[in-house]
Structures are given as structure tokens and as C-alpha cells.
Amino acid sequence: MTTVDLAGTWRLSSLDEETTALMPIPGDVHTALKNAGVIPDPYVGRNELDLRWVAEQDWQIEQDFQLPEIDGDWYLDVDGLDTVASIEINRVTVLEADNCFRRYRPDVTEALTAGDNRIRILFRSSVRESAERQLRQPFYIPYSIANCPIPNGNMLRKPQSHFGWDWNIALAPLGLYGAIALKKQEIGRIEHVTTRQQHQDGAADVTVTVALQAQAQGILPLVLALGEERVRLDIGVKAGETIVSHVFHIEAPRLWWPAGCGEQALYELRVETPSEIVTRQIGLRTVELLTDDDEAGSRFALRINGREIFCRGANWIPADALFSLTSEEKTRNLLQSAADANMNMIRVWGGGFYEADWFYDLCDRLGLMVWQDFQFACNLYPSTPDFLENVVAEVGYQVQRLISHPSIVLWCGDNELVGALNWFKESLENRDRYLVSYDRLNRAIEQALLKAAPDAIWWPSSPASGYLDYGDAWHADGSGDMHYWSVWHENKPFEDYRNVRPRFCSEFGFQSYTSLPVIRSYAAESDMNIASPVMELHQKNVGGNERIAATMFRYFRFPEGFANFVYLSQVQQAIAIRTAVDYWRSLKPHCMGTLYWQLNDTWPVASWSSLDYGGSWKVLHYVVRRFFQPVAVAAIPSADGTEIRLSLVNDTLDDVTVTLTLSLLTLAGERRNLRSLDAVISPDAAVTVTTVEANEIPADCLLAWSFTANNGMGGEGHHVAGTYKALDLLPAGLAANVTPAPTGGFDILVQADGLALFVMIESDTPGRYSDNAFDLAAGESRRITFTPSSPIDGDPSFRIYDLQSCSAAG
């Protein structure tokens, strides 16, 4: 026996043992208590308010295991321990841990006995521990009260969103989210496997570096295999660490490309000792971050394999607020939805986790580039020696674990820490102190990154105008990456997105309500009102409900009934994000990336996400699939409203020929041809193909367009001069006929007698629609296929919304 896997069911209890439950490991305390009937579902109703006590006390878990004999040295291998925790074996403390993002491997030989053994993990309250650490700081370290109703989370190295966020429930969960195993120390064990690449003259050299850890001097057989090549090395190891490197030369390598740019070619790397096998999925590619000066300021563009790539994507937050409710299958569904919506990048935001290896494996295979934040967000942080030492160990471990993934193209020091210097009374009154403290932390992260991976692409913070630039990257759009939140947080009109010209916008967003079927999972019928206490609790952004409603007054006739309010909130969210993306893509190559906030939700809540909690697509996500298409057409009105230019964008490697048809749509749904034209656009370009004068569009008409490209892409859209509330829309006379689909699921034939805008089909049965949120003119129809997420008995029922009916009286 060389390994004892300790994952499985453990005994959970409070320290007085009055509260007990069974807890699966990996897992979290809250879910174990819920499953045991000790606490109600935190996500339902207002239960969150009654559950703070769980995080305010200590918890322990125990498990018994057997070892037939104690021969040699043994160590405990554990990661994902959240967060301030002690591990005992047979009442001997073998580990004191305080970083959720590190792996620990303590020697436990002296604590073991032959036969029966007991392991115990004590989780100390993060609420109490963080408060105590704040008191030990040489000066007060502020945190974002607006985001974190549970205080002082910035004192601990755990996901910052665990303490609450403006989209997350505040639970401060505890648990063990990774592996835990007892392992026998052989001659040497594998600590890290990293790779570096050099590309020259069409060939690639891959340097594989293996860090070995040994208790004593010895000879260790080591086998390295990459692709078809396999080598054996007999390594002389010493007590402590031994570093071994080997170079694989690959002629004419198959390159890894982002989605839509080429193949996601992957090679398997295997590292073997007599007792261990470590595999890595690697891709061969080059990455450059272009920040050269130009007439506007300085660029921010990624070049992959010598080609500049426009980054289309969204921000990723943890897949669930409670770890036990996540799974690889659920995460795969979320990432697949990103890829299906024509994304080629996601940003792993800095207030959550460094994700599991399989997460990045999925991104590798899907061609989703990853912008990887280090896990610091929206607070100030300590810079004491003990804190920085902990951070350096965290960064070193995580970078060496993840650096070989081809999908990770950029490492960013933090999320919005530069801006946070201006958020707090303490840092405003003594900026020098807090700026120096921040710089120490940021520098420690950078140095630890480059020590572990000298070739890694480093960006100091998001947003940032440049290296050692501590300016306002929320409003300055000439250099670096930008977070543009004025439309949401400052209540500016959607048109304001066209007043900025970002080089790369890594955050911007607009809220909507989560879909009605999801709302029904946590709210009773009596709660179906945006001002009800339950709905207000499931809105974590201060003033968010009022802002959604106020925006409706600005652009739409107010909806009738709660269901229509939810639907219209999603329509206006989609219009907001489309307005930004359409314009910023038309600026290419001045702008080379748009990552909207946010892809997913951690629990059922009103938020900026395009995917509901559970993975269903909101209106926005269907619209994202259109405006992120590699070849796309958008209508961009001039600032004075006198003309509308039709922008054509081509993110592909080939010349594309597009046939564009412009028409007028009357409010009765009649479609009148305006003109058609053919255009050729070169690779990686954005051009204006035609301009429509505003006086060409009668007051009772909308401008509509459709296009087809010779590469099979196509699409359609409409433009309204002014606001939708000014349109005297007529009933569309929508009808739907549902039949079983030949390939499974259900076909829904939707027909219209008049003009129907943003036609949305919804069902209480979870699933995916082949299309949604589309327009129909009079006499037109659309066949939509609905595929349930899992097999169902009987036929699902469907509701159909459109813009006119949602605000019609009666």
C-alpha cells in the first residue's frame, strides 16, 4: 500500500457535537448541513439571513482509516483546504493551514500507527479569524463594505466573493474542495511539472522541467514522453529538491489556436516514476501582448502564433457559491455555452478560485483563451512579511500547476485594486501608505510569477493603463484595458457606450433578472414583485432594481405583470451589451477585445450574467451568439442621429464576400426593400459597407437588415431611431405549433401576423433553444428546436413573449 485516498464521507460536527451531519469530501459545510436537514436551503426565500451563525463558529470533520503497517515515510497530500484549518492524525497536529489556494504536503510519519487511525480537520470560523487578523495589522486595511457584508475577508487567502458580492450570497463557506490522500514517500516524488516553448524556423523546442522532492539521496528512474518520443533518465536525487530538465524537439509542430482561428492541437506529456504518473495536456503556440505606443495612447492586443486576435468573450465567476453544488459536468455546460456563442476568451476573475485542472483542459479543447487573474479583488490587502510569504507560495504553486495550459494567455495581478485606493477614507487620506503597500503586494505577485514561469505574459492589474500607471482606467480609454461601468453604475444611456473608444474592454455590463423558471425555484407566487423582500434579497447590487426599472422608463413602455417585467429586463440587457460590442468591434484594430461582465451566476439572483444559474440561456446569450459571430454586421448611428452606418467585421483569416439586404419594417409588419449590395472584406478587418441617411427611414418604420456570407455565416437585425416606447406597435398575432423533432426534442413553429420584436420562447422545462429573441415580420415564421437538458415524460409547455404584448394593457 502506497496511497490511502481519504476522499469520501466524513463525520461533521460542531465542536460541542450538538450539531452533526455526514459530509462528502470534497465538499462544504453548508451543503452537508442542508442535506442533513439542519439548515434550510440557503438559496430559497430569505433563508440567507438566518444562516450567518454557520460561518461564525468552528466545525470539525473526522474519518477513520487503517494502515496495516508503518514502513517508511508518509506524507499527507491536501489542497483546496478552506481556509484556516488544523489537521490532526491520532490527536497529533500535522498541519496548520491558512490558504485555500495552496497545496500542503506535511510529513505525518510520526503521527501514524499500525492498524486503526483517525484524522480530524478543525475549520476555524473565517469570520472570527479574519477579524482577529485585522486587529493584528500595523494599520487598518479597508475592504469593500458594499461588496462584502461579512467583514474583513481581505485578511484571508480564500475566495473574496465568499464574503458576499454584488451578485453573490454572503455565507463565508468552509470545507475541503480538492484532494486529500495519505501517500508513502518513495525515493522521490513529483512536486511540479512545467514546460517552456521556443519556436523558430517552423520547429518547436519544448523544455520539460520536473521538480522532485526526496527525503534522502538515491537513484530515481524517470520517464518523460511527449507525443511519440519517450526517454528514460536515471536521476540522482538528494535530500530536498532536485530539478531535472529535458528538451523535446518537434519539427513542423501542430499549433494550438483560439476558437475560430485554427485547430486546437494538443499533445500529451507524461512524466513517470515507479510510483507516480503525471500527465499534462499541452498546446504549442506563441503569445505576445502588444502595448506599443500609437497616436491614441498605447495598444492592448494579443498576438497568437504571429496573428493578432480580437478577443470576444465574458468574465467567469465561480460556478456556484457552494462548492458541493458544482460539478465538472455543470462547468462543462457553461464553458460549452461560451464557445457556442462564438466566444474565444474568458477572464477568470480575481475574486473567486484558481480553477481545477480539468477546467483549463476544457478551455484548451474548446479554444477558449483564458485571461487569468490572481485572486485579489476590489479590496486593499496586507503587505506584512507573513502575508506576502503566503502569497508568494500560493502564486508559485498555482503558476507551476497551470502554466502548461495553452489556453492561459495572460496572467493579471488583480481585479480593481488600483481603483480601490480611491474608495476608502483611509487610503484617500494617506494614499502614499496604501499605494506603497499595494505596490509591495503587486511586485511580490509579479516576481513569484516570473520565477515560476519566466516567459509568462504579465499584466499588473485590471483595469490598468500600463505598467506602474495608477490612473483612472475606468474612464481613460486610450491605453491598456478598461472597465467601463458608467452606463450601469452612473445610469448613463446605452448610447454612452459610443462615447468611449477602449483599446480592450475587460469589464462592462448591464443587469437583468434571472429567468422566471429560476425565480420560481426560490420565490413563492406572493413574492413575484420586484419590491418584495425576497426579490430584493436576491438583488445584491445597491439600487439595482431601481436602475432596471428606471431604464425601462427611459426606453420602453412599462410592462404589464411580473413575468413581462422579467422578460423586458433581459431584452434591455441584451440591447445594452449589443450596443457596446457592435460599436467597439467596429473600431478594430483600435479596440481588440470586449469581455462583458458576466458569463454565469453562482446562485439564483438578479445580475449581469448571460447564463442563468443552472446554465440556461438568457435573452442576452442568444444575442451574444449573433454579435460575437466572427463575421457580423451592425448598425452604428452617428452622434447627431442623421445617419446610420452599417459596419461589417471579419475576424477570420480569409477574404469574405457578404450580400447585405436592407429593408424597412412598418409597424404593421410589412417589409419593404430598401437596397441590397455585395461587399468584400479582407481578413481581420472592420469596414463601413454603406450608410443610410436618417431621412430615408419614415417615422413609422424600423431599419432592418439581413446578410449572408460566402463562408456560411449570416444574420439579421434591426435599428430603431429613438426609443422603443415611441413605437405604436400593433399586436403581432403570434401563434406556435409544437411537434416532436425528428432528432429528439421538440420543434416549435412560430408564426406572426404582424411585427414581432424580440420573440422569446420560454418553458419551465430546462433546455436549449436553437434560436431565441428573434424578430418576425407579418406572414413570416421561424422553426425553433427545443432540446431538454435531460429526458422528460410528456410534452413541455411553452410561453411566448414579444415586445408589444409584454406592455399591452389587459
Side-chain angles (χ1 to χ4, degrees):
M1 180 182 293
T2 59
T3 299
V4 180
D5 188 355
L6 298 175
T9 302
W10 291 49
R11 300 180 296 276
L12 167 68
S13 65
S14 55
L15 297 194
D16 59 13
E17 298 190 350
E18 290 188 4
T19 303
T20 63
L22 296 178
M23 180 170 167
I25 293 297
D28 68 85
V29 170
H30 283 79
T31 303
L33 294 175
K34 182 196 72 172
N35 291 342
V38 175
I39 64 172
D41 189 333
Y43 295 177
V44 171
R46 303 177 75 208
N47 291 338
E48 174 191 356
L49 300 178
D50 300 324
L51 298 179
R52 185 65 56 82
W53 65 271
V54 176
E56 291 175 344
Q57 68 178 53
D58 298 342
W59 295 90
Q60 60 187 351
I61 58 174
E62 294 180 318
Q63 188 189 68
D64 297 324
F65 64 93
Q66 285 196 327
L67 276 179
E69 60 179 348
I70 308 300
D71 55 335
D73 296 319
W74 291 75
Y75 65 95
L76 189 66
D77 196 352
V78 57
D79 68 275
L81 190 57
D82 185 14
T83 285
V84 182
S86 301
I87 300 183
E88 299 174 357
I89 296 178
N90 300 323
R91 297 183 180 275
V92 176
T93 300
V94 297
L95 177 66
E96 294 282 2
D98 67 347
N99 191 323
C100 184
F101 308 127
R102 288 177 61 180
R103 178 178 65 187
Y104 297 97
R105 288 181 156 186
D107 186 296
V108 299
T109 309
E110 297 300 321
L112 298 171
T113 62
D116 295 334
N117 291 263
R118 176 167 293 180
I119 183 170
R120 171 179 178 261
I121 303 179
L122 169 63
F123 296 102
R124 296 188 182 88
S125 164
S126 295
V127 178
R128 188 179 65 252
E129 184 68 27
S130 60
E132 293 174 359
R133 293 190 178 202
Q134 179 71 267
L135 292 174
R136 295 200 296 266
Q137 294 301 311
F139 51 87
Y140 179 71
I141 310 296
Y143 65 93
S144 176
I145 297 174
N147 279 339
C148 304
I150 299 178
N152 301 313
N154 54 339
M155 295 294 102
L156 297 181
R157 296 307 303 135
K158 75 179 262 120
Q160 297 296 275
S161 58
H162 277 181
F163 298 90
W165 217 260
D166 56 2
W167 39 260
N168 199 33
I169 189 170
L171 296 175
L174 307 167
L176 200 168
Y177 312 141
I180 180 166
L182 194 65
K183 296 182 179 180
K184 185 178 180 180
Q185 176 70 58
E186 302 293 343
I187 296 171
R189 70 173 185 242
I190 300 171
E191 285 292 290
H192 301 288
V193 176
T194 61
T195 61
R196 295 179 70 178
Q197 304 176 24
Q198 285 187 316
H199 293 254
Q200 189 171 5
D201 299 329
D205 287 333
V206 180
T207 301
V208 178
T209 299
V210 182
L212 302 168
Q213 186 72 25
Q215 292 288 90
Q217 188 174 353
I219 301 297
L220 180 68
L222 182 69
V223 175
L224 306 175
L226 180 62
E228 301 299 319
E229 186 177 353
R230 180 181 175 91
V231 297
R232 170 176 168 148
L233 307 171
D234 290 323
I235 305 301
V237 296
K238 62 182 186 295
E241 186 177 68
T242 300
I243 303 295
V244 181
S245 293
H246 178 78
V247 178
F248 289 92
H249 181 76
I250 303 175
E251 290 287 346
R254 294 162 51 229
L255 297 180
W256 182 92
W257 286 94
C261 298
E263 181 187 6
Q264 286 75 60
L266 296 167
Y267 293 76
E268 183 183 77
L269 170 67
R270 288 171 63 88
V271 180
E272 303 176 19
T273 70
S275 59
E276 284 185 278
I277 299 177
V278 173
T279 62
R280 293 283 186 270
Q281 175 180 274
I282 71 170
L284 304 180
R285 49 84 177 124
T286 63
V287 181
E288 301 166 83
L289 177 62
L290 308 178
T291 59
D292 45 300
D293 293 340
D294 62 12
E295 66 283 354
S298 60
R299 304 196 65 208
F300 191 100
L302 284 164
R303 181 186 286 158
I304 312 294
N305 300 328
R307 180 191 168 200
E308 292 186 27
I309 306 293
F310 191 99
C311 299
R312 310 181 304 266
N315 285 260
W316 170 269
I317 61 175
D320 207 289
L322 293 172
F323 176 85
S324 297
L325 302 182
T326 65
S327 69
E328 185 172 347
E329 179 183 2
K330 291 177 181 178
T331 299
R332 180 185 296 109
N333 179 54
L334 297 173
L335 292 175
Q336 186 65 58
S337 288
D340 290 346
N342 293 307
M343 296 187 196
N344 61 16
M345 174 176 270
I346 58 168
R347 174 180 174 233
V348 178
W349 168 78
F353 289 95
Y354 307 92
E355 297 289 343
D357 290 279
W358 52 259
F359 175 96
Y360 301 95
D361 286 340
L362 288 169
C363 293
D364 295 340
R365 293 194 290 271
L366 290 169
L368 288 171
M369 294 179 287
V370 174
W371 169 314
Q372 178 66 55
D373 279 3
F374 288 99
Q375 295 306 300
F376 302 85
C378 294
N379 295 312
L380 302 183
Y381 289 88
S383 59
T384 52
D386 60 326
F387 189 86
L388 294 183
E389 181 181 355
N390 203 356
V391 168
V392 167
E394 166 192 324
V395 171
Y397 166 61
Q398 294 293 347
V399 171
Q400 290 178 94
R401 178 174 73 92
L402 299 174
I403 192 61
S404 296
H405 286 281
S407 55
I408 302 179
V409 296
L410 183 145
W411 298 81
C412 179
D414 61 70
N415 176 79
E416 298 189 350
L417 266 59
V418 174
L421 290 165
N422 299 314
W423 297 349
F424 308 108
K425 176 177 180 290
E426 294 84 358
S427 55
L428 288 172
E429 292 179 349
N430 195 342
R431 181 175 171 84
D432 288 351
R433 165 188 280 177
Y434 290 94
L435 178 58
V436 169
S437 180
Y438 167 73
D439 187 65
R440 288 178 178 176
L441 172 63
N442 191 252
R443 182 65 171 156
I445 296 169
E446 179 186 11
Q447 289 178 329
L449 164 68
L450 297 179
K451 179 181 178 182
D455 301 326
I457 302 296
W458 160 259
W459 188 243
S461 181
S462 185
S465 296
Y467 300 102
L468 297 178
D469 187 324
Y470 301 103
D472 180 8
W474 280 262
H475 298 90
D477 59 357
S479 302
D481 76 308
M482 186 180 197
H483 290 189
Y484 193 65
W485 281 104
S486 294
V487 171
W488 174 257
H489 287 300
E490 299 173 31
N491 203 29
K492 291 190 176 181
F494 297 164
E495 295 78 15
D496 193 68
Y497 284 123
R498 302 191 194 104
N499 292 334
V500 294
R501 297 167 56 86
R503 313 313 301 265
F504 192 113
C505 199
S506 48
E507 273 193 32
F508 61 102
F510 199 91
Q511 270 202 3
S512 72
Y513 290 102
T514 190
S515 299
L516 190 61
V518 179
I519 293 174
R520 286 177 172 153
S521 73
Y522 67 80
E525 287 299 319
S526 59
D527 299 317
M528 301 294 178
N529 186 297
I530 64 164
S532 74
V534 168
M535 290 301 296
E536 288 190 336
L537 187 68
H538 287 251
Q539 164 62 272
K540 295 301 185 180
N541 185 242
V542 176
N545 287 349
E546 295 94 325
R547 199 163 295 124
I548 291 173
T551 303
M552 285 186 189
F553 276 118
R554 179 182 289 166
Y555 290 107
F556 301 97
R557 301 186 184 190
F558 213 68
E560 292 284 331
F562 183 74
N564 285 322
F565 191 92
V566 171
Y567 156 76
L568 191 56
S569 78
Q570 293 194 10
V571 169
Q572 72 176 12
Q573 177 192 34
I575 293 171
I577 304 306
R578 185 190 67 193
T579 300
V581 172
D582 281 352
Y583 179 61
W584 294 340
R585 285 191 76 187
S586 79
L587 300 178
K588 180 180 178 177
H590 174 90
C591 176
M592 286 300 291
T594 62
L595 308 179
Y596 66 84
W597 186 271
Q598 67 212 58
L599 179 67
N600 56 305
D601 273 333
T602 58
W603 72 306
V605 66
S607 82
W608 299 267
S609 71
S610 62
L611 297 175
D612 280 321
Y613 178 68
S616 294
W617 291 26
K618 291 180 172 180
V619 169
L620 172 58
H621 210 77
Y622 288 100
V623 176
V624 167
R625 184 169 60 183
R626 296 174 200 143
F627 66 57
F628 270 167
Q629 194 173 205
V631 176
V633 171
I636 313 292
S638 60
D640 60 7
T642 59
E643 62 181 24
I644 302 99
R645 66 181 177 91
L646 278 298
S647 172
L648 174 59
V649 180
N650 177 17
D651 286 346
T652 75
L653 281 169
D654 302 312
D655 286 341
V656 173
T657 300
V658 169
T659 298
L660 175 65
T661 300
L662 303 178
S663 60
L664 300 173
L665 278 176
T666 71
L667 298 185
E670 179 188 357
R671 193 180 292 275
R672 302 173 184 169
N673 184 57
L674 189 61
R675 59 178 173 270
S676 296
L677 57 96
D678 291 330
V680 177
I681 182 170
S682 57
D684 283 329
V687 298
T688 297
V689 289
T690 190
T691 299
V692 177
E693 299 297 325
N695 57 20
E696 294 183 70
I697 308 171
D700 62 345
C701 289
L702 287 67
L703 175 66
W705 71 88
S706 64
F707 78 94
T708 58
N710 65 332
N711 62 1
M713 297 181 191
E716 60 188 12
H718 71 259
H719 171 73
V720 172
T723 63
Y724 285 93
K725 69 182 181 182
L727 302 176
D728 289 323
L729 297 173
L730 303 173
L734 288 172
N737 182 43
V738 181
T739 57
T743 56
F746 301 87
D747 282 340
I748 309 163
L749 181 64
V750 184
Q751 297 174 297
D753 293 334
L755 178 61
L757 302 178
F758 301 108
V759 178
M760 181 74 179
I761 309 169
E762 181 181 83
S763 174
D764 291 331
T765 301
R768 177 88 65 85
Y769 300 85
S770 59
D771 197 11
N772 227 333
F774 51 87
D775 300 336
L776 291 175
E780 294 180 348
S781 63
R782 185 78 56 94
R783 186 176 299 276
I784 306 298
T785 299
F786 173 72
T787 305
S789 300
S790 56
I792 62 172
D793 295 325
D795 296 343
S797 59
F798 297 97
R799 295 178 291 275
I800 300 182
Y801 303 87
D802 79 297
L803 192 58
Q804 186 277 334
S805 64
C806 86
S807 57

